[in-house]
Amino acid sequence: MKTIKDNIKNELVIKNSKFITLLLKIDSSNIKNILEEIKKEYPKATHYCYAYIYNEIKHSSDDNEPTGTAGLPMLNVLEHENLNKILCIVIRYFGGIKLGAGGLIRAYTKSVTEVLKEANFLDLEKGYKINIEFSYNLEKQISYLLKDYKIINKKFDKTISYLVEIPESFLNKLYNYNYQIIEEIYIKKN
C-alpha cells in the first residue's frame, strides 16, 4: 500500500466543463468537515464528487451525477493504484454540454488519473495502534524501545500507559510487556 506525500490539485476542461481534482492525505475516515470546507472554497460548483480509502473503509459519492458515473470510477482508480489514507474530490463546474454516462465516467476517471501523475508516494506497511501499560520503573526502557514510533498519548496514573502506532514486525519485541491491540492500521514504512 501507499499514500501521497503532499496534497495535489489539478484542473481539466472537458467539453466546456471544468473539473478541479483535489488529492488529499487523510488521518481519519471523517471527511465531512473537509467536504464542507471545499464547498465554501468553491461555492458555485455544480458537483462535489469524491472517493476515499482509509484503512479498510472505502466510500464514494456521485453528488447528483448519474449513479455510478463519478464516485465509483474515482474509487476504482484509487484502488487500482493501491492507495490508502487518501481522499479524492473532483469539483465540477458544468459547462453547458451534457457528457452522457460514458463521457462522465471517462471524465472523472481521467481527472483522478491525471492528478496521480503529479503525486509523490510514501510506502505504507501494516501496523497496529496499541495501548501498552507498564510500571514507572520501566518508563525509560519503554520510551527507548518506542523512540522510533508515534506515541499518540501518554497517561500517568497508578501505572503508565502509552497509545502507540507500531509496525506489525515490531509487535514481537513487545512480548514481555502488557499491551492491547486497539486497531489494525497502515503506517509509513521506515
Side-chain angles (χ1 to χ4, degrees):
M1 294 222 131
K2 59 188 176 183
T3 194
I4 56 172
K5 284 185 181 180
D6 302 300
N7 296 338
I8 306 167
K9 177 181 171 182
N10 189 36
E11 293 185 22
L12 290 174
V13 176
I14 300 171
K15 293 190 177 179
N16 296 340
S17 283
K18 184 189 240 184
F19 294 84
I20 301 169
T21 307
L22 306 174
L23 198 58
L24 309 170
K25 294 187 301 185
I26 56 173
D27 288 324
S28 78
S29 60
N30 183 3
I31 58 149
K32 184 179 177 183
N33 295 341
I34 298 170
L35 288 169
E36 287 173 6
E37 289 301 313
I38 297 302
K39 288 178 181 180
K40 287 178 190 172
E41 193 173 337
Y42 301 92
K44 296 187 183 201
T46 316
H47 302 281
Y48 306 89
C49 303
Y50 67 90
Y52 70 87
I53 300 173
Y54 184 77
N55 294 333
E56 304 305 316
I57 302 168
K58 298 176 183 182
H59 186 74
S60 65
S61 169
D62 296 316
D63 190 40
N64 295 319
E65 290 281 28
T67 303
T69 60
L72 192 56
M74 294 165 59
L75 184 59
N76 288 340
V77 174
L78 299 178
E79 288 177 317
H80 182 263
E81 293 296 323
N82 203 22
L83 291 168
N84 193 356
K85 297 186 176 189
I86 193 102
L87 166 62
C88 185
I89 304 169
V90 178
I91 301 144
R92 181 182 180 201
Y93 289 89
F94 180 62
I97 299 172
K98 292 190 175 188
L99 301 178
L104 287 170
I105 292 169
R106 287 188 295 278
Y108 282 100
T109 300
K110 183 175 183 178
S111 295
V112 180
T113 303
E114 289 298 314
V115 78
L116 283 169
K117 289 179 182 176
E118 300 175 30
N120 292 312
F121 298 99
L122 293 171
D123 288 326
L124 297 174
E125 65 182 312
K126 185 177 176 182
Y128 298 99
K129 189 180 289 183
I130 66 162
N131 188 60
I132 184 167
E133 192 172 323
F134 50 93
S135 60
Y136 279 83
N137 64 329
L138 293 175
E139 183 180 11
K140 281 186 180 179
Q141 182 180 346
I142 297 292
S143 293
Y144 180 77
L145 188 64
L146 299 173
K147 70 181 183 330
D148 295 329
Y149 302 106
K150 182 178 178 183
I151 299 174
I152 300 165
N153 190 25
K154 295 180 180 183
K155 185 177 174 184
F156 298 88
D157 204 355
K158 290 179 182 168
T159 60
I160 300 172
S161 64
Y162 287 178
L163 184 62
V164 189
E165 292 181 352
I166 59 166
E168 184 176 47
S169 59
F170 189 75
L171 205 53
N172 64 354
K173 293 188 169 126
L174 298 176
Y175 67 90
N176 283 333
Y177 303 101
N178 182 20
Y179 69 87
Q180 176 186 12
I181 295 174
I182 305 299
E183 70 177 304
E184 187 178 297
I185 58 173
Y186 288 90
I187 57 176
K188 186 175 84 171
K189 209 175 212 177
N190 287 338

